[in-house]
Amino acid sequence: MIHFVLLISRQGKVRLTKWYSPYSQKERTKVIRELSGVILARGPKLCNFVEWRGFKVVYKRYASLYFCMCIDQDDNELEILEIIHHYVEILDRYFGSVCELDLIFNFHKAYYILDELLIAGELQEPSKKTVARLIAAQDSLVETAKEQASSISNIIAQATK
Amino acid sequence: MSGPSLMDSLFQRTLEDLIKGLRQQLIGEQAFISKALEEIRKEIKSTDLSTKSTALLKLSYLSSLHFHDMAFASFHALEVLSSPRFSHKKIAYHAISLSFHDSTPVLLLITNHLRKDLTSTNEFEVSLSLQCLSRIANVDLARDLTPEIFTLLSSNKLYVRKRAVAVVLRVFEKYPDSVRVCFKRLVENLENYDPQILSAVVGVFCELACKDPRSYLPLAPEFYKILVDSKNNWVLIKVLKILAKLAPLEPRLAKRVVEPVCDHMRRTGAKSLLFECVRTVVTSLSEYDSAVRLAVGKVREFLVDEDPNLKYLGLQALSIVAPKHLWAVSENKEVVIKSLSDADPNIKIESLHLVMAMVSEHNVAEISRVLVNYALKADPEFCNEILNSILSTCSRNLYEIIVDFDWYVSLLGEMSRIPHCQKGEEIENQLIDIGLRVKEVRPELVRVARDLLIDPALLGNPFLHRVLSAAAWASGEYVEFSRNPLELMEALLQPRTSLLPPSIRAIYIQSAFKVLVFCLHTYLMQRESTTSSACPDNLPSGVSASVSYESFDGLSVENGGDAAVTHSLTSTSASMTDESIVNLLNLVEIALGPLLGSHDVEVQGRARNVLGFVDMTKLDLLNPSAQEDKGLERKGVEAYKTIELMHDAFSEELGPVSLTAQGKVPLPDGLMLKENLGDLEMICGDIELPSSNSFSFGSPYEEKVGVSFSNLQIKEDFEQSNESTSLLAEHRKRHGLYYLPSGKSEIISNDYPPANDPTSQGNVNDNSDDLAKLTEESLFPKKKPNHAKPRPVVVKLDEVDEKPIAMKKPEAKDDSLSGAVRDILLGSEDVIPTSSRSNLSGKPSSKRRGKEKQDTDPHVESKENLVDDGNPSSRRRKHHSHGKERRHKSPRKKNAEEREDNGQKEKEKSSHRHGRHKSRRRADELLNVSPQTPVIPDFLL
């Protein structure tokens, strides 16, 4: 299974973290510091796997972002690379040629998309189309709720409550 | 109240504002964040849910990317969770799954929220709560929500169902009893044709099977079917993983599976699936030669591929296959060796492992040569990786693969000279270990040690200090093999030794002491033989003195004889002249004099010992008048005896000592370990007496300064060692082998009556045998040195040395989860192990046991009743009869069940052969039928 997912920028800034195994806040910071040190130091034409504390970390760089996933020793590295690519494609589709800024300002959306893709550290939805559809459906749910909330009448109703 | 709330919600910073502000960094990141946190703390207390949820969202941003603790907001998150709005729920769930853990106090309050959402009609709400549950589930949550999960497992919304399936894994983990409820539905989902569901279920089983494969063996037919039918690579990879776990447990399954796996390997274009097939074959199907050949062929394609990922994985696959099929590695030797100079450190390390896997008795020399050359050129990290693997491979199993120890010792010397070498400690241990275990290698060891010691440049490298300490020790301990002890002395006392840390310096001094004693002894023997005619009186008195002390320890006659042999051997190469001895003593005085003021007690103490010894001998021996004046002859004899004494003490042979040796020494009567060491003196006096006797009795001139000095020193040694057995054990552990001489004699002197004092039993030639005997008698009931013909004897201590080799067998762990699964699948925990190992005839008894267990387990039944609307009693009857069928060979049949036997048997068979008809029924059947593990082959073959 996947133990955690990290998105780290080339400068070592964390853009997204998702933990499927229990890690305390302290451990999380430590893990990220350790791994970004290892991964960012690796050159461009090396393999995408790093052995780490008895686990394997599969990472791939897209533009300025490193997508890293930590998996068990006997998981399939190539499969994880495909999952990473899959995620990137979905993000790309959703944001329309995604860039780091999209993820910075819509960090929660990146989470929601990841949640559609993976659950409990397992791949959940291999179809890009389905994920896109599901995300759109939930977005519209959120939007209608927001419109309601921000409508003038609502504000007045609140103020005069 | 409403006023501020409105203002809050109108002028609240949104997440976007927060992120923008962070990026602008007008006031510095930390300051900005703490300001934002303050705002959040205020906003999150607001009664307006929108404000609250925005605050929560901002907080989870700061928590997940800037790692600020958000535990304080856990109750507020629950409040947001209760909002009817989906967008709020989403934020709340996100925050909760980010921050909650098992010990979060408000976890108790979330159960009802989750239950409400799990039963919601909005599939996205269900999905959110499932997602959250998968992350935060603890025992209570898992237990309380099991019924809801159970319902969702057969939800008609696929989206919900697949998530429920994935969450089941966590629920099982936390609350194994839920298996009894949910497992059946989970298995039903295995029958599902929807690829999403299938993928989720297979994923769950893959995780479950990793933990305890044996429990899932009864499901093998299902997995096999998926392997053959499925076209989905994600699913296939997971199924292959499961089968790779199951196949080693059931040879018939392996036989059945190997063909489809090979088919996939030939056909698939997806590298991930291909690699999974390869890995399955090399890990679990390695008995099938054709499959392995095919897999190795694919591995070769990986190896020559441009993609470093494939290369790396190829090397990994090779290292999995290496132990069983070494040919696979040798076939790809060129690629492997070439990868040693790859740009990627991971690939380099993998290929290094492979190269080491190829090492055998015959090629160890060549491979080590190649690797050392690589190490010379490699970067420091990889260089040490290489050295480490050479060291560990060669020392494996007590130097199993080393035939030519002379070569190996010189290789060790060479390795320590590699500039980046940081393996000093390991090399040190091996040098000493080999010195102790392999007698034949000692001359070469001394030569290597000399080369290391004599090079002043090496002293400047702190990583080498440990090696140098081993070299110093070896050259002192085995000085009789040295060609030129005087040169050694100079090396040991060279000025640059001041660069050494005190602990190692102390070893240097001690070795210098040994060399000095040796030189003096040689010199005396020489002088004796040349002056025996000139001064006939000198010799007899010397002999009589030594005899007088030998008479107390019968064996030292051999000792003296042996010393003479050594003397005659070495005298040719290193003859001692008066002048050289004077020089030697002067050198010692000059070099060690300044150390008398050393701050390190060990250094200071040892230096003082040596200097005291030098003072005495110099006065007595080299005073020309002493040699001529018969009035002073006594003094010469005195010094002679002292030297003889020291020489004997030092030529005591050392051998490896079991780590547990200390523990086997019975605590001497009356030994009390007290904190006040003053008290100890009295207690130790008793124990110490015999050993100190054996030295002091030999000297009729005990009152003389010199002897009493040396006596004192010896006494000190013994006192030290006797002070506390436990202290000594600890001490030895830390300082390893240097303390063997005193430790050794101490151990045995505690054990033996004074007459057998081992210090005098020592004999350079037979000593390892003696030691063996001694240890055999006192410490080890069985001990045989390994007598391999072509290579020198490596002394082994059975118990200790084999300890690391004898692996602890992993106990079949039987946690509650697998227990529950077995209960469900098999009705008993002990069925599967026997059934998979033994053949049919072995099964009936265990089957019956399993059945009986279930019969007496009403708990299971009641649980099933809770959830199963079918007719439990009929199911159970069926179950009985199936168990029965298996039992047809058992003499103890139960008549009541027999009548159903035939019809039931046929029914069962047919249901297995044509299981496709009714999936529902089939799944039912599976649960009940599965206890009959032997049924699997029926289906498979």
Side-chain angles (χ1 to χ4, degrees):
Chain A
M1 68 174 269
I2 299 167
H3 293 280
F4 54 80
V5 178
L6 300 179
L7 263 66
I8 307 173
S9 80
R10 210 166 36 141
Q11 290 80 28
K13 292 254 183 221
V14 186
R15 295 303 179 209
L16 183 146
T17 57
K18 179 82 190 175
W19 311 85
Y20 295 101
S21 299
Y23 289 88
S24 73
Q25 199 74 287
K26 219 186 208 166
E27 284 168 332
R28 293 178 184 181
T29 337
K30 195 159 163 259
V31 165
I32 289 177
R33 204 182 317 119
E34 234 173 80
L35 274 180
S36 53
V38 174
I39 289 171
L40 298 182
R42 282 175 67 83
K45 277 184 185 156
L46 310 182
C47 71
N48 295 106
F49 319 125
V50 179
E51 305 260 340
W52 175 77
R53 289 199 203 166
F55 295 108
K56 284 187 294 200
V57 177
V58 179
Y59 72 93
K60 192 153 168 75
R61 184 177 160 179
Y62 288 90
S64 57
L65 269 187
Y66 285 86
F67 290 71
C68 320
M69 292 191 181
C70 172
I71 52 172
D72 285 322
Q73 202 48 252
D74 52 359
D75 277 328
N76 191 322
E77 295 92 337
L78 295 173
E79 183 195 14
I80 301 298
L81 274 182
E82 281 171 40
I83 293 180
I84 291 178
H85 189 68
H86 197 61
Y87 181 45
V88 173
E89 279 186 338
I90 294 171
L91 288 176
D92 201 47
R93 224 176 252 217
Y94 182 80
F95 290 107
S97 91
V98 65
C99 67
E100 198 182 333
L101 275 182
D102 288 324
L103 297 185
I104 292 171
F105 283 104
N106 294 291
F107 104 106
H108 51 299
K109 299 226 167 115
Y111 272 108
Y112 300 152
I113 296 175
L114 189 62
D115 283 348
E116 290 304 320
L117 197 65
L118 299 174
I119 180 168
E122 297 286 337
L123 178 76
Q124 181 70 185
E125 182 50 74
S127 154
K128 275 170 262 178
K129 246 185 224 158
T130 322
V131 174
R133 188 170 49 74
L134 291 169
I135 293 289
Q138 296 186 49
D139 273 354
S140 70
L141 263 180
V142 174
E143 279 310 311
T144 43
K146 237 187 214 155
E147 269 164 33
Q148 263 178 16
S150 58
S151 66
I152 303 285
S153 58
N154 193 29
I155 292 176
I156 293 170
Q158 249 195 34
T160 54
K161 196 158 47 178
Chain B
M1 187 68 205
S2 66
S5 156
L6 176 66
M7 293 312 280
D8 276 353
S9 59
L10 279 181
F11 297 106
Q12 187 186 20
R13 259 187 233 267
T14 62
L15 176 64
E16 201 172 326
D17 298 335
L18 177 75
I19 296 171
K20 273 184 187 151
L22 257 179
R23 288 174 63 79
Q24 279 171 349
Q25 296 208 342
L26 291 175
I27 53 171
E29 191 177 279
Q30 281 315 316
F32 186 83
I33 288 178
S34 47
K35 197 164 150 258
L37 274 175
E38 223 159 83
E39 281 172 16
I40 289 169
R41 275 174 198 275
K42 217 161 58 198
E43 289 162 9
I44 209 160
K45 290 193 187 110
S46 146
T47 49
D48 176 35
L49 277 177
S50 303
T51 315
K52 212 192 244 308
S53 68
T54 310
L56 192 61
L57 182 62
K58 288 194 287 184
L59 186 58
S60 34
Y61 174 83
L62 291 179
S63 168
S64 76
L65 300 189
H66 296 274
F67 306 105
H68 285 281
D69 191 33
M70 61 182 288
F72 71 88
S74 42
F75 185 73
H76 303 292
L78 281 184
E79 285 178 329
V80 179
L81 193 60
S82 63
S83 158
R85 277 199 198 128
F86 181 67
S87 56
H88 294 168
K89 267 195 203 310
K90 217 169 172 179
I91 290 169
Y93 272 122
H94 179 223
I96 287 170
S97 48
L98 183 67
S99 64
F100 277 31
H101 46 88
D102 278 358
S103 49
T104 302
V106 294
L107 206 56
L108 290 170
L109 304 175
I110 204 177
T111 319
N112 277 323
H113 289 292
L114 284 176
R115 184 173 288 140
K116 200 177 116 232
D117 286 337
L118 283 175
T119 48
S120 156
T121 49
N122 181 342
E123 58 181 338
F124 295 117
E125 281 179 12
V126 182
S127 141
L128 279 179
S129 58
L130 280 173
Q131 189 102 44
C132 180
L133 186 63
S134 83
R135 178 64 201 82
I136 64 167
N138 65 356
V139 182
D140 294 329
L141 278 176
R143 187 188 54 229
D144 296 341
L145 297 174
T146 299
E148 278 76 24
I149 302 284
F150 173 75
T151 324
L152 292 176
L153 276 178
S154 55
S155 158
N156 51 8
K157 288 175 187 152
L158 287 185
Y159 177 68
V160 169
R161 200 200 295 189
K162 71 177 185 193
R163 279 170 179 251
V165 166
V167 171
V168 154
L169 178 64
R170 286 301 152 83
V171 176
F172 280 5
E173 238 167 52
K174 297 289 178 190
Y175 179 63
D177 277 346
S178 60
V179 171
R180 300 181 204 284
V181 181
C182 298
F183 199 73
K184 206 183 82 179
R185 287 239 168 128
L186 189 64
V187 174
E188 276 171 24
N189 278 315
L190 209 51
E191 297 278 305
N192 202 299
Y193 283 112
D194 184 89
Q196 296 176 17
I197 303 281
L198 194 58
S199 151
V201 184
V202 170
V204 170
F205 274 110
C206 182
E207 286 298 314
L208 288 173
C210 278
K211 289 189 184 101
D212 173 43
R214 211 171 275 285
S215 305
Y216 306 93
L217 213 46
L219 293 172
E222 322 290 330
F223 298 134
Y224 175 78
K225 203 157 58 57
I226 296 173
L227 176 70
V228 178
D229 294 344
S230 178
K231 297 275 180 289
N232 183 328
N233 285 350
W234 306 103
V235 173
L236 281 174
I237 288 175
K238 294 281 180 200
V239 166
L240 279 169
K241 275 189 193 305
I242 298 173
L243 289 174
K245 291 279 183 314
L246 298 185
L249 304 174
E250 175 59 71
R252 284 167 293 189
L253 178 65
K255 199 175 161 201
R256 191 81 176 132
V257 154
V258 70
E259 246 334 285
V261 172
C262 288
D263 275 352
H264 281 302
M265 211 168 357
R266 285 190 204 98
R267 259 185 316 192
T268 183
K271 289 278 190 274
S272 51
L273 180 58
L274 178 58
F275 178 64
E276 199 53 52
C277 290
V278 168
R279 185 147 60 183
T280 308
V281 169
V282 293
T283 49
S284 308
L285 304 170
S286 55
E287 305 88 79
Y288 298 90
D289 254 356
S290 59
V292 174
R293 287 206 174 273
L294 182 64
V296 171
K298 295 289 178 192
V299 167
R300 188 168 316 131
E301 286 171 27
F302 278 17
L303 286 179
V304 296
D305 201 289
E306 284 292 294
D307 187 351
N309 289 339
L310 294 183
K311 198 167 184 182
Y312 174 74
L313 293 176
L315 289 170
Q316 260 199 341
L318 271 190
S319 57
I320 299 173
V321 84
K324 282 183 186 154
H325 300 273
L326 201 56
W327 57 264
V329 187
S330 3
E331 267 183 21
N332 297 298
K333 203 157 48 183
E334 289 80 34
V335 191
V336 172
I337 301 267
K338 231 167 63 194
S339 309
L340 276 180
S341 40
D342 199 281
D344 191 335
N346 290 354
I347 291 183
K348 284 202 280 194
I349 286 174
E350 272 314 308
S351 58
L352 177 63
H353 291 166
L354 280 174
V355 171
M356 289 331 279
M358 286 191 279
V359 170
S360 73
E361 242 172 75
H362 312 292
N363 58 13
V364 61
E366 295 94 76
I367 290 187
S368 303
R369 167 96 359 255
V370 171
L371 286 180
V372 168
N373 283 339
Y374 264 104
L376 276 170
K377 286 176 280 176
D379 57 302
E381 198 183 334
F382 189 55
C383 165
N384 282 300
E385 201 66 45
I386 292 179
L387 296 183
N388 192 33
S389 52
I390 296 179
L391 287 171
S392 58
T393 311
C394 289
S395 64
R396 195 174 49 209
N397 237 345
L398 289 183
Y399 314 100
E400 198 175 42
I401 57 168
I402 306 289
V403 176
D404 182 357
F405 276 91
D406 286 356
W407 162 80
Y408 186 57
V409 168
S410 53
L411 178 75
L412 286 177
E414 201 176 316
M415 275 158 66
S416 50
R417 284 165 183 273
I418 293 175
H420 296 308
C421 171
Q422 294 172 8
K423 295 285 161 200
E425 197 171 343
E426 180 60 24
I427 295 179
E428 174 202 28
N429 290 340
Q430 292 199 9
L431 279 175
I432 293 175
D433 197 37
I434 292 175
L436 291 175
R437 288 180 197 276
V438 189
K439 205 187 298 172
E440 285 79 352
V441 81
R442 286 171 192 170
E444 177 68 12
L445 182 62
V446 171
R447 196 192 62 72
V448 170
R450 172 206 165 265
D451 289 351
L452 288 172
L453 290 176
I454 216 158
D455 187 348
L458 298 181
L459 284 164
N461 179 355
F463 291 116
L464 277 187
H465 287 165
R466 301 294 300 264
V467 182
L468 289 176
S469 85
W473 178 83
S475 59
E477 187 59 32
Y478 306 118
V479 61
E480 68 264 25
F481 298 110
S482 166
R483 266 191 228 115
N484 189 354
L486 296 177
E487 181 192 57
L488 258 184
M489 198 63 167
E490 276 168 31
L492 284 172
L493 296 175
Q494 61 183 298
R496 272 175 72 91
T497 50
S498 58
L499 297 170
L500 292 169
S503 61
I504 292 172
R505 199 136 197 229
I507 293 163
Y508 264 65
I509 296 169
Q510 184 74 3
S511 296
F513 193 13
K514 290 177 187 169
V515 177
L516 175 67
V517 169
F518 175 78
C519 292
L520 288 176
H521 186 254
T522 317
Y523 168 68
L524 279 179
M525 297 300 274
Q526 246 172 357
R527 203 175 69 177
E528 222 169 74
S529 52
T530 52
T531 58
S532 56
S533 53
C535 325
D537 291 343
N538 220 348
L539 186 58
S541 62
V543 168
S544 70
S546 75
V547 164
S548 73
Y549 108 81
E550 276 158 12
S551 63
F552 285 93
D553 35 43
L555 276 172
S556 74
V557 178
E558 288 170 47
N559 214 356
D562 180 73
V565 172
T566 325
H567 155 72
S568 67
L569 274 176
T570 46
S571 63
T572 46
S573 55
S575 65
M576 307 288 166
T577 62
D578 288 353
E579 195 189 353
S580 63
I581 288 295
V582 173
N583 285 342
L584 183 69
L585 293 175
N586 286 337
L587 174 71
V588 173
E589 274 183 332
I590 292 165
L592 296 184
L595 292 181
L596 291 180
S598 165
H599 291 301
D600 189 84
V601 269
E602 195 86 349
V603 172
Q604 194 198 34
R606 292 195 192 199
R608 201 166 279 282
N609 284 350
V610 180
L611 285 177
F613 182 75
V614 168
D615 277 352
M616 181 195 71
T617 43
K618 208 173 178 186
L619 259 178
D620 291 353
L621 267 187
L622 299 175
N623 188 346
S625 65
Q627 286 169 37
E628 285 147 29
D629 187 356
K630 293 199 175 175
L632 287 171
E633 182 203 300
R634 261 178 14 151
K635 277 202 161 187
V637 172
E638 175 61 30
Y640 174 84
K641 277 206 275 73
T642 316
I643 291 167
E644 182 79 22
L645 205 73
M646 294 310 298
H647 182 73
D648 284 351
F650 283 144
S651 56
E652 169 74 20
E653 169 105 359
L654 306 180
V657 174
S658 156
L659 280 176
T660 55
Q662 187 70 50
K664 299 193 175 182
V665 179
L667 215 62
D669 284 342
L671 174 65
M672 306 266 286
L673 303 178
K674 284 194 179 173
E675 274 178 31
N676 186 352
L677 294 181
D679 287 354
L680 276 175
E681 221 158 36
M682 285 161 55
I683 300 156
C684 293
D686 301 345
I687 310 157
E688 181 195 335
L689 199 59
S691 42
S692 68
N693 268 355
S694 70
F695 287 100
S696 56
F697 268 62
S699 158
Y701 311 104
E702 235 178 288
E703 70 280 5
K704 286 285 177 237
V705 187
V707 177
S708 61
F709 162 67
S710 73
N711 227 346
L712 235 161
Q713 189 204 0
I714 292 157
K715 235 177 179 172
E716 263 170 27
D717 270 0
F718 275 88
E719 248 171 71
Q720 196 183 9
S721 49
N722 276 331
E723 257 168 21
S724 139
T725 12
S726 65
L727 261 181
L728 179 75
E730 207 178 285
H731 198 60
R732 179 178 307 128
K733 216 182 277 166
R734 208 173 322 133
H735 293 271
L737 298 147
Y738 304 120
Y739 282 83
L740 269 178
S742 56
K744 193 74 201 161
S745 39
E746 191 267 337
I747 289 170
I748 293 159
S749 68
N750 273 352
D751 225 6
Y752 272 70
N756 278 350
D757 194 315
T759 40
S760 53
Q761 285 183 3
N763 173 314
V764 175
N765 284 332
D766 310 347
N767 205 300
S768 71
D769 290 0
D770 271 359
L771 187 70
K773 247 182 272 163
L774 276 175
T775 35
E776 192 178 327
E777 285 162 20
S778 59
L779 306 175
F780 307 106
K782 271 171 26 182
K783 175 184 172 300
K784 286 171 204 148
N786 179 19
H787 286 290
K789 271 272 156 145
R791 60 198 282 265
V793 179
V794 178
V795 181
K796 292 184 185 177
L797 300 175
D798 285 350
E799 281 188 20
V800 183
D801 292 337
E802 275 167 23
K803 216 173 237 164
I805 302 154
M807 294 286 233
K808 262 192 222 162
K809 281 192 179 161
E811 306 229 327
K813 73 169 180 328
D814 206 31
D815 57 289
S816 45
L817 171 58
S818 49
V821 171
R822 280 181 204 170
D823 276 357
I824 287 290
L825 276 173
L826 311 164
S828 159
E829 285 166 31
D830 48 2
V831 171
I832 276 285
T834 31
S835 64
S836 65
R837 273 191 218 118
S838 59
N839 54 10
L840 264 168
S841 61
K843 268 159 217 162
S845 63
S846 63
K847 279 285 115 83
R848 194 177 57 248
R849 250 190 294 145
K851 206 224 78 203
E852 273 168 12
K853 186 171 177 193
Q854 219 189 24
D855 279 348
T856 58
D857 191 357
H859 184 64
V860 178
E861 190 174 290
S862 63
K863 278 271 180 189
E864 281 179 3
N865 281 343
L866 271 180
V867 293
D868 196 336
D869 43 3
N871 186 347
S873 68
S874 82
R875 274 182 53 217
R876 290 197 64 76
R877 277 236 314 283
K878 220 195 266 172
H879 190 136
H880 287 200
S881 60
H882 287 302
K884 194 78 239 346
E885 194 231 330
R886 285 295 118 212
R887 273 181 276 133
H888 62 281
K889 279 184 188 159
S890 160
R892 290 171 52 195
K893 286 182 182 174
K894 284 181 184 156
N895 289 335
E897 287 166 341
E898 207 167 40
R899 55 201 153 100
E900 275 185 42
D901 201 6
N902 289 334
Q904 206 54 57
K905 195 174 176 180
E906 273 182 26
K907 214 164 132 194
E908 182 227 321
K909 265 189 187 159
S910 65
S911 77
H912 260 270
R913 297 242 163 89
H914 323 284
R916 289 278 52 173
H917 300 318
K918 302 174 201 163
S919 70
R920 171 66 212 229
R921 191 189 132 208
R922 181 142 163 44
D924 251 351
E925 202 89 56
L926 185 92
L927 258 185
N928 303 317
V929 164
S930 46
Q932 291 89 50
T933 337
V935 170
I936 302 168
D938 284 353
F939 176 83
L940 285 173
L941 301 175

